[in-house]
Amino acid sequence: MQVLLALVSFALSVARAGAVPAPRQLSGLNDLFVAKGKLFWGNIGDSNTLSISSNTEVLTSEFGALTPENSMKWESIEPTQGSFSFTGADALVDFANSNCLMVRGHTLVWHSQLPAYVSAISDAATLTSVIQSHIAGVAGRYAGQFYGHEVLNEDGTLRSSVFSNVLGDSFIATAFEAARAADSTAKLYINDFNLDSNNAKVQAMVALVKKVNSGTQLIDGIGTQTHLSAGGSSGVADAITTLASTGLEVAITELDIASAPTADYVAVAQACLDEPRCVSITSWGVSDANSWRASETPLLFDSSFAPKDAYDALVSLLL
Ligand code: 9MR
């Protein structure tokens, strides 16, 4: 009887092994990308997502760097002039340190998510000193701990902002000089969106970094955010090659693609693989559940944290 039971249960488990796929072993996108000579495939976080265990499981097994989604933006970290609030940013850095993830600072100067006291400044000397103190405060706190800082965001074409309106383009050098003084080891990046084909904005970015770097090299790298629509990847390789023609590092900093088409994800990853100066990719979110574009389902993991076809295609590309 016992033998019969053992045989039955053996037969059942054999049948089950054939019918039910083994649990998927995530292969570690970051590890695969690093094995191809790149620095990391990172992702974003902050206290709201770092408290979700399904999120952190994927984050720590698949990704190798962390960018704060919101906690280091000016309104979060220096909401009142001279008074820094590091709780959220520290939590992110602690999480990264405990899980051996690199950190990209994001973002020291951006026209958006600015406190009202900054937007209200109309005097050039005051604004210069406020930018310098802000950068010294934030970059100084984490000096030596970050891979890089996104010093400027969305300013490749000098959009209208309190910074460009009051200081012209001199605020760019001011910001990079302050960041270099506060953290001599971090790579300093300018980071922009709509650099997804070799368009006028890419050309403007190339001209801008050449101008700013014409004396001393202040800018180390160009970040291209790469928030794409479906089918929007065709110009990415050309754009990355053009940005890299500056001689600077290039990083894909905020990757998400509406409806996560496999072909687009593969094309973007291939574009970075093909350009030696493209050092890293950062996905802008783990799961669609926590994406700023949630309704467009642009990420590699669905709202239940299951990997999508695009994830599998990337693994196949990188194996
Ligand atoms: O993902 C961020 C979202 O949680 C914020 O509400 C939003 C506010 O503007 O910013 C999002 O991230 C932005 C990033 O910091 C800079 N590039 C554009 C991203 C999307 O707006």
Side-chain angles (χ1 to χ4, degrees), residues 49-259:
T49 48
L50 296 179
S51 58
I52 303 168
S53 61
S54 357
N55 182 66
T56 54
E57 273 164 31
V58 178
L59 190 59
T60 53
S61 57
E62 293 294 326
F63 298 99
L66 203 47
T67 298
E69 184 174 12
N70 289 300
S71 63
M72 288 187 200
K73 290 174 181 170
W74 201 318
E75 70 172 10
S76 308
I77 207 160
E78 195 188 358
T80 309
Q81 190 173 348
S83 170
F84 290 87
S85 170
F86 289 118
T87 313
D90 281 357
L92 175 122
V93 175
D94 288 348
F95 181 91
N97 287 341
S98 324
N99 291 283
C100 300
L101 302 169
M102 284 187 235
V103 183
R104 283 181 78 85
H106 171 93
T107 173
L108 293 170
V109 174
W110 188 26
H111 74 278
S112 189
Q113 292 178 277
L114 265 186
Y117 74 84
V118 180
S119 310
I121 298 171
S122 56
D123 171 68
T126 307
L127 186 57
T128 300
S129 125
V130 163
I131 291 171
Q132 288 167 333
S133 312
H134 176 71
I135 293 178
V138 179
R141 180 172 184 87
Y142 304 108
Q145 296 188 63
F146 286 10
Y147 169 69
H149 272 286
E150 287 158 21
V151 178
L152 292 186
N153 215 29
E154 294 195 38
D155 291 286
T157 50
L158 270 200
R159 69 161 60 237
S160 170
S161 70
V162 64
F163 306 113
S164 60
N165 296 344
V166 175
L167 296 169
D169 66 8
S170 74
F171 81 94
I172 300 175
T174 299
F176 278 88
E177 280 161 1
R180 183 76 75 212
D183 187 344
S184 60
T185 57
K187 298 279 186 185
L188 304 182
Y189 269 71
I190 186 163
N191 187 48
D192 211 334
F193 72 112
N194 277 349
L195 303 175
D196 307 319
S197 63
N198 192 355
N199 56 19
K201 199 167 176 187
V202 165
Q203 298 297 327
M205 177 62 88
V206 167
L208 177 69
V209 298
K210 283 185 177 162
K211 181 178 171 195
V212 175
N213 278 357
S214 60
T216 322
Q217 177 168 313
L218 295 172
I219 301 175
D220 297 318
I222 304 173
T224 166
Q225 296 184 8
T226 321
H227 294 295
L228 297 181
S229 48
S233 64
S234 58
V236 168
D238 194 10
I240 286 180
T241 307
T242 307
L243 295 172
S245 72
T246 55
L248 303 182
E249 283 188 4
V250 176
I252 293 169
T253 52
E254 303 187 13
L255 180 61
D256 54 16
I257 312 177
S259 74

